[in-house]
């Protein structure tokens, strides 16, 4: 059965708006041409606006988000530096693995998968250990559907007098959940193209504070491809040190236009409302979330705990094969125990209802005792109750 569309509810890659797809269909272009900066310079400026970064810069790399993780570390730290991290899901775990492999001395706080960045533990470590040079936070843990309080991390750093750099993984939050790099004192902020920016994978962006740019000059870790220096030399004039993925840059232009046209506060509010509908649907099915308390609930991804005796991987297999719906599976420690509904990027109410409908059928087929329709109904009620007022038309139809 191949008619209709395949429904994509993975928390990355996300659905690509038609305007973005069309914008990427460009003839081959010379990235050293004199008019190339007309494309790139406004992109650099608009990315700073997106990150809430006024006095630093945003670098764009041809890589997935993981590349910007590495760029952040390798440009600003030295081997053996002590850093404070926390692990509570696959993505926070992988970043900690990377930090270890790159030779950092990682102090890692492990939390239950379903919780987020532990502010009290961070405060204790920072108060006891004045050698910590960097603090890491995964803003939105995509594996568990948990959002953490980044401004709170900066608060505990300030409270303990720490002058460490603050590194934040914003891959599944930036452009979908409120993010304020400068206001929150974030020195290195990472994102990627295939999540809130609604693009294909292939670009990562790294927001860097003025302080981190300054420190980068004396950092001694090996780096080449991701080095800030060559980027700094070329970006100001609108160029790159090597060949950038030009069609993706055109797509990025279209994506930023969509985001700013809607308005960032409106984009964040839309994600919150759509997510809340999904959560109400899940609750009406009698299922619980992997996120252990409402303070952690993510507005871009909902990780649903499957009932005892039901295999989350089987739910995803059924959804894909029978109902042409892609959900995210459970990763690592929660493999088989959860499945994830991504509600990030280019999305509306009826798409979320489709996700719930498909999840209900797949869960029931996989043996869960859920009543198909109950989740959809709860979400419908919420979306109707919170629907915006109708636009007043100036013309009567037919006149
Ligand atoms: C997607 C994601 C990444 C990066 O993954 P890539 O596959 O390298 O783009 C990192 N952190 C989080 C929280 C993510 O959701």
């Amino acid at each position: 059965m191949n008619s209709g569309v395949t429904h994509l509810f993975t928390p990355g890659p996300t659905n690509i708006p038609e305007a973005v797809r069309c914008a990427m269909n460009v003839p081959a272009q010379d990235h050293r041409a004199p008019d190339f900066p007309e494309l790139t310079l406004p992109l650099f400026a608009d990315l700073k606006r997106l990150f809430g970064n006024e006095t630093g810069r945003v670098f764009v790399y041809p890589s997935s988000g993981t590349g910007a993780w590495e760029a952040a570390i390798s440009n600003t730290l030295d081997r053996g530096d002590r850093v404070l991290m926390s692990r509570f899901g696959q993505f926070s775990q992988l970043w900690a693995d990377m930090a270890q492999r790159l030779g950092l001395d990682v102090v890692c706080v492990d939390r239950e998968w379903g919780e987020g960045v532990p502010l009290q533990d961070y405060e204790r470590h920072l108060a006891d250990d004045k050698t910590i040079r960097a603090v890491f936070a995964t803003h939105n843990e995509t594996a568990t559907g948990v959002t953490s309080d980044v401004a709170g991390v900066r608060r505990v750093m300030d409270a303990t007098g720490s002058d460490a750099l603050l590194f934040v993984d914003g891959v599944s939050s930036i452009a979908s959940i409120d993010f304020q790099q400068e206001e929150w004192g974030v020195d290195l902020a990472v994102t990627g193209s295939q999540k809130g920016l609604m693009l294909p994978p292939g670009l990562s962006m790294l927001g860097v504070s003025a302080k981190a740019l300054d420190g980068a000059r004396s950092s001694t870790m090996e780096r080449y491809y991701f080095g800030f220096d060559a980027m700094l030399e070329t970006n100001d004039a609108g160029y790159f040190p090597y060949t950038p993925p030009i069609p993706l840059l055109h797509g990025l232009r279209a994506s930023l236009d969509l985001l700013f046209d809607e308005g960032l506060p409106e984009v964040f509010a839309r994600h919150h409302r759509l997510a809340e509908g999904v959560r109400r649907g899940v609750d009406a099915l009698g299922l619980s979330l992997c996120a252990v308390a409402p303070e952690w609930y993510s507005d871009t991804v909902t990780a649903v705990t499957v009932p005892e005796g039901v295999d989350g991987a089987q739910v995803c297999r059924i959804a894909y094969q029978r109902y042409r719906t892609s959900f995210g599976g459970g990763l690592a420690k929660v493999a088989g125990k959860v499945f994830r509904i991504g509600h990030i990027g280019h999305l509306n109410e009826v798409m979320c209802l489709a996700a719930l409908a498909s999840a209900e059928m797949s869960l029931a087929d996989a043996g869960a005792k859920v009543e198909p329709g109950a989740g959809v109904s709860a979400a419908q009620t919420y979306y109707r109750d919170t629907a915006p007022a109708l636009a007043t038309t100036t013309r009567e139809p037919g006149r």
Side-chain angles (χ1 to χ4, degrees):
M1 221 223 340
N2 281 320
S3 94
V5 298
T6 297
H7 304 277
L8 187 65
F9 296 106
T10 46
T14 66
N15 294 287
I16 304 174
E18 194 63 15
V20 172
R21 276 211 313 213
C22 293
M24 291 185 295
N25 189 354
V26 289
Q29 192 180 354
D30 171 14
H31 66 290
R32 311 258 186 227
D35 61 353
F36 194 62
E38 290 170 23
L39 169 66
T40 52
L41 291 176
L43 287 179
F44 296 144
D46 286 343
L47 283 171
K48 287 179 66 175
R49 181 173 158 208
L50 176 71
F51 278 63
N53 177 332
E54 272 168 46
T55 56
R57 1 223 331 165
V58 178
F59 294 120
V60 179
Y61 292 105
S63 78
S64 81
T66 304
W69 272 357
E70 185 160 331
I73 292 174
S74 65
N75 279 284
T76 59
L77 297 173
D78 301 319
R79 260 170 207 283
D81 275 352
R82 179 161 296 179
V83 301
L84 178 59
M85 305 183 85
S86 47
R87 255 186 318 224
F88 41 78
Q90 173 76 347
F91 293 94
S92 46
Q93 174 160 307
L94 289 175
W95 209 9
D97 287 351
M98 175 188 274
Q100 258 152 5
R101 289 242 216 138
L102 293 178
L104 300 177
D105 175 12
V106 179
V107 177
C108 199
V109 183
D110 279 297
R111 303 301 301 185
E112 185 188 340
W113 285 34
E115 294 184 18
V117 175
L119 296 186
Q120 283 174 354
D121 291 309
Y122 270 24
E123 183 154 19
R124 191 164 41 77
H125 279 287
L126 288 165
D128 290 351
D129 185 349
K130 297 298 177 193
T131 66
I132 290 170
R133 278 202 60 196
V135 176
F136 287 64
T138 298
H139 187 201
N140 190 75
E141 175 50 82
T142 319
T144 56
V146 160
T147 303
S148 289
D149 177 9
V150 173
V153 176
R154 171 49 68 186
R155 264 199 313 279
V156 301
M157 290 172 72
D158 289 346
T160 55
S162 166
D163 68 349
L165 293 170
L166 175 54
F167 286 60
V168 175
D169 177 342
V171 180
S172 59
S173 59
I174 290 173
S176 311
I177 295 174
D178 188 24
F179 188 86
Q180 304 295 337
Q181 175 161 13
E182 199 137 329
E183 192 183 317
W184 296 349
V186 176
D187 293 294
L188 285 308
V190 175
T191 197
S193 53
Q194 80 277 23
K195 312 264 168 110
L197 282 164
M198 310 172 285
L199 287 159
L203 287 181
S204 66
M205 296 98 189
L206 178 62
V208 188
S209 70
K211 175 181 166 184
L213 281 171
D214 220 34
R217 280 198 284 268
S218 53
S219 120
T220 58
M221 206 177 271
E222 289 88 353
R223 56 189 180 253
Y224 180 80
Y225 190 71
F226 291 114
F228 288 174
D229 38 8
M231 280 288 191
L232 283 165
E233 273 167 32
T234 50
N235 277 187
D236 278 344
Y239 298 98
F240 286 84
Y242 35 66
T243 320
I246 299 163
L248 279 169
L249 297 178
H250 286 280
L252 179 59
R253 176 70 272 150
S255 150
L256 290 167
D257 287 345
L258 286 174
L259 290 166
F260 293 139
D261 284 351
E262 184 176 352
L264 292 180
E266 287 76 15
V267 170
F268 305 147
R270 171 169 56 82
H271 278 85
H272 176 70
R273 177 165 168 268
L274 293 176
E276 186 56 30
V278 171
R279 287 190 285 266
R280 292 193 185 208
V282 170
D283 185 58
L285 291 171
L287 301 177
S288 52
L289 304 189
C290 182
V292 298
E295 62 178 300
W296 304 119
Y297 288 173
S298 164
D299 284 340
T300 57
V301 53
T302 297
V304 181
T305 305
V306 294
E308 246 347 273
V310 175
D311 177 11
Q314 179 71 355
V315 173
C316 291
R317 256 192 307 276
I318 292 171
Y320 191 71
Q321 290 183 20
R322 285 199 182 142
Y323 307 119
R324 286 186 63 193
T325 308
S326 279
F327 293 118
L331 300 173
K333 218 184 210 174
V334 289
K337 295 184 181 141
V338 308
F339 74 99
R340 295 171 299 144
I341 304 173
H343 32 76
I344 172 168
H346 182 55
L347 214 70
N348 58 32
E349 294 88 341
V350 176
M351 290 165 81
C352 290
L353 295 175
L356 284 167
S358 195
E360 287 172 341
M361 293 192 287
S362 308
L363 279 159
D365 293 359
K369 291 194 175 44
V370 297
E371 192 189 318
V376 170
S377 175
Q380 283 174 323
T381 300
Y382 176 76
Y383 292 144
R384 291 181 59 222
D385 287 349
T386 57
L390 289 182
T392 46
T393 47
T394 47
R395 261 192 311 160
E396 295 282 324
R399 290 237 183 127

